[in-house]
Amino acid sequence: MLENDWEARWAPYDMDTYAAALSFLRPDDVVLDIGAGDLRFARQAAPRVRRVIAVEKNRTVLPQPSPGGKGNLHVIIADALTWPFPRGVTVGVLLMRHCRHYREYAAKLRAAGCRRLITNTRWGMSVEEVRLDAARAAYRDVHSRWYACACGRTGFAPGPVEAITRESLDETVEVVGCPACLESSA
């Protein structure tokens, strides 16, 4: 088995997950569906947006006929880690709770000019919209609250117990330079 075999497996989600992701789409969006699987999400998104580019590396999970396009849905058989993301994408979609490459995908989307990412990868639970162009605080300046790092890691930043409030528990701070970032750069 390959090290990243989880990402080679197809794992469709329930309709609630797809509905949550679809709710973030806008009619003028150009969507890049990363790891599109059997195109369940891409086919639901296509009537709602300007264009969907579905990237899937495992040809066997694609419905027949596979590559190419129909209407505003274009299917690309490629590894999204190495395939160059096109400019003009307004939103990336990464529905892979088990994904270990959030940082790489987010960086490629930013480099292509994309400003939004719809994903369930960071928390491994519900779907969220990540603003790729948002200002981020330095992790070292965040205390006693939840954080989500640009690298894809999430957690609770330690700090004084008295600083924990209902509001601090309900808010997630976007950060850079979390402990996982520091470990990977060492």
Side-chain angles (χ1 to χ4, degrees):
M1 267 191 182
L2 297 173
E3 177 184 329
N4 298 321
D5 200 37
W6 272 106
E7 292 185 37
R9 295 178 190 222
W10 168 67
Y13 291 98
D14 57 43
M15 292 309 294
D16 289 341
T17 300
Y18 292 129
L22 291 166
S23 73
F24 290 107
L25 297 180
R26 303 172 186 156
D28 62 335
D29 276 330
V30 175
V31 177
L32 179 63
D33 186 4
I34 302 166
D38 70 351
L39 307 179
R40 265 179 225 217
F41 177 80
R43 287 182 170 169
Q44 293 179 64
R48 300 168 183 250
V49 299
R50 186 167 14 131
R51 183 173 180 207
V52 176
I53 303 164
V55 181
E56 174 56 52
K57 71 178 181 179
N58 187 352
R59 181 186 296 269
T60 63
V61 300
L62 290 167
Q64 298 300 320
S66 43
K70 182 176 182 182
N72 68 338
L73 172 57
H74 302 273
V75 180
I76 307 293
I77 298 175
D79 184 342
L81 283 171
T82 57
W83 182 71
F85 290 178
R87 296 209 57 83
V89 169
T90 60
V91 62
V93 175
L94 179 61
L95 295 178
M96 273 189 253
R97 288 184 181 113
H98 59 273
C99 181
R100 307 233 189 267
H101 299 289
Y102 175 91
R103 178 193 311 237
E104 292 88 344
Y105 293 134
K108 287 182 70 173
L109 287 165
R110 277 188 209 97
C114 183
R115 295 183 176 163
R116 297 166 33 233
L117 173 59
I118 299 167
T119 188
N120 61 353
T121 298
R122 292 198 306 183
W123 295 97
M125 302 183 289
S126 61
V127 177
E128 64 173 328
E129 180 183 62
V130 177
R131 294 294 311 198
L132 297 172
D133 59 350
R136 288 176 165 70
Y139 173 82
R140 68 180 177 276
D141 297 333
V142 175
H143 308 285
S144 305
R145 57 188 48 229
W146 294 103
Y147 71 88
C149 188
C151 75
R153 297 294 179 99
T154 57
F156 194 80
V161 173
E162 57 274 6
I164 299 173
T165 64
R166 186 66 177 146
E167 292 76 28
S168 72
L169 292 176
D170 289 341
E171 178 188 34
T172 301
V173 179
E174 296 283 339
V175 302
V176 293
C178 75
C181 292
L182 299 175
E183 287 173 18
S184 66
S185 65

